[in-house]
């Protein structure tokens, strides 16, 4: 119950901030793109995660999206992931660990100044595919790679 | 409490920013080994990166990002001496920010 309230308060704050921004007539881009994708990070399936963060779950495999991840992760709590992509007009990059209780780990909203490159470290509960999804020119492109996890990093 | 380390380097018109934040990043699914109760969720939700005051990237994180998150990204432009500012907000409303100059 408390958690729900927390979520509500947070969402309300974001909405409030957006309204204030519009009201003052100064449209700050970081507020416009910066709203936290609450639903996407609550989604328990990949499709919900992608719809929530990138606006669609229709993605096609592309070899232009390069995903660097270890074949075997000895420690599931720290799995280094690098996504790079040579496309133009990249709007966002999401990293999804398919087998996690909450698959979406992180999502990056890029401005046109950004190169198609992000690197971070994620947790993985068990052996599963890692899916890197890039949104470019309104379409989603993806690459996935299986990472074997010997010790899970999501509780237990 | 929390600290942010930033390294930014400009090379050939592209700036690479590497940042390391200290944060517990509790997903809210982990049990405390002593009490057997769930450890409450406590993770960074949003990170903003600014270059000389202009937003260049916003990242949303969930509980699935490792403790003490590392993040690296690249952007076009940026010269030595320019300011890079990284700020984060977590699900408890705590926040922190740090600034560094591009090398």
């Amino acid at each position: 119950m408390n958690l729900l309230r927390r979520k509500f308060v947070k969402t309300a704050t974001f909405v409030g901030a957006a309204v204030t921004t519009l009201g003052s007539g100064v449209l700050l881009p970081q507020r416009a793109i910066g709203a936290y994708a609450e639903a996407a990070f609550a989604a328990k399936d990949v499709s919900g995660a992608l719809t929530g963060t990138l606006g669609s779950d229709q993605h096609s495999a592309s070899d232009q999206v390069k995903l660097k991840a270890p074949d075997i992760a000895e420690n599931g709590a720290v799995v280094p992931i690098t996504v790079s992509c040579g496309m133009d007009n990249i709007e966002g990059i999401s990293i999804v660990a398919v087998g996690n209780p909450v698959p979406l780990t992180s999502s990056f909203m890029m401005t046109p100044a950004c190169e198609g490159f992000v690197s971070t470290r994620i947790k993985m509960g068990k052996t599963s595919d890692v899916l890197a999804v890039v949104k470019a020119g309104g379409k989603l492109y993806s690459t996935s790679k299986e990472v074997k996890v010997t010790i899970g990093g999501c509780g237990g | 409490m929390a600290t942010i380390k930033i390294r930014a380097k400009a090379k050939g018109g592209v700036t690479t920013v590497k940042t390391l934040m200290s944060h517990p990043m509790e997903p809210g699914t982990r049990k405390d080994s002593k009490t057997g109760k769930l450890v409450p969720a406590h993770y960074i939700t949003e990170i903003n990166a600014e270059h000389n005051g202009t937003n260049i990237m916003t990242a949303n994180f969930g509980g699935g990002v490792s403790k003490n998150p590392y993040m690296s990204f690249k952007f076009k432009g940026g010269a030595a001496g320019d300011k890079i500012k990284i700020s984060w907000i977590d699900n408890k409303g705590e926040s922190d920010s740090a600034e560094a100059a591009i090398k």
Side-chain angles (χ1 to χ4, degrees):
Chain A
M1 223 39 225
N2 205 11
L3 196 73
L4 276 174
R5 188 182 164 273
R6 201 53 252 156
K7 277 186 179 172
F8 173 73
V9 170
K10 201 147 54 103
T11 317
T13 319
F14 276 122
V15 171
V19 169
T20 319
T21 319
L22 284 171
S24 65
V26 187
L27 193 69
L28 295 169
Q30 60 261 47
R31 279 288 158 259
I33 59 169
Y36 185 57
E38 185 78 55
F41 285 98
K44 301 270 187 275
D45 57 355
V46 177
S47 127
L50 291 181
T51 311
T53 179
L54 298 173
S56 164
D57 63 350
Q58 301 295 316
H59 57 89
S60 52
S62 165
D63 53 10
Q64 279 192 274
V65 181
K66 293 197 168 49
L67 170 66
K68 204 172 126 193
D71 296 323
I72 297 172
E74 282 179 21
N75 183 359
V78 185
V79 184
I81 304 286
T82 301
V83 181
S84 55
C85 171
M87 294 174 191
D88 292 327
N89 301 320
I90 294 173
E91 292 158 51
I93 297 179
S94 287
I95 302 171
V96 180
V98 178
N100 275 12
V102 177
L104 184 63
T105 63
S106 52
S107 169
F108 302 84
M109 268 80 71
M110 326 294 262
T111 57
C114 287
E115 294 269 308
F117 173 93
V118 286
S119 176
T120 189
R121 299 188 296 214
I122 66 166
K123 290 177 214 164
M124 290 182 70
K126 59 179 184 201
T127 299
S128 79
D129 281 349
V130 173
L131 188 65
V133 185
V134 173
K135 186 178 187 183
K139 284 190 178 151
L140 304 188
Y141 302 94
S142 65
T143 295
S144 71
K145 183 181 176 186
E146 193 193 41
V147 177
K148 287 194 164 59
V149 177
T150 42
I151 307 168
C154 282
Chain B
M1 174 200 94
T3 52
I4 306 177
K5 280 185 195 164
I6 306 169
R7 281 276 154 79
K9 215 163 199 181
K11 198 181 176 187
V14 175
T15 305
T16 307
V17 182
K18 292 176 182 175
T19 169
L20 201 57
M21 291 147 265
S22 11
H23 199 281
M25 296 301 283
E26 282 295 346
T29 53
R30 202 173 63 88
K31 275 184 182 157
D32 190 308
S33 55
K34 282 177 194 146
T35 60
K37 283 184 184 154
L38 285 177
V39 180
H42 187 197
Y43 53 86
I44 293 176
T45 52
E46 200 182 318
I47 297 170
N48 269 301
E50 286 174 25
H51 168 232
N52 281 347
T54 321
N55 179 277
I56 41 174
M57 197 200 63
T58 304
N60 280 351
F61 277 10
V65 176
S66 302
K67 180 177 163 181
N68 300 332
Y70 164 80
M71 179 179 84
S72 172
F73 64 96
K74 293 179 183 178
F75 69 94
K76 297 177 199 85
D82 286 3
K83 290 264 180 279
I84 295 290
K85 188 183 173 197
I86 305 281
S87 51
W88 59 254
I89 306 169
D90 70 17
N91 66 332
K92 290 185 178 175
E94 292 166 12
S95 64
D96 197 8
S97 68
E99 223 175 51
I102 298 177
K103 278 182 187 163

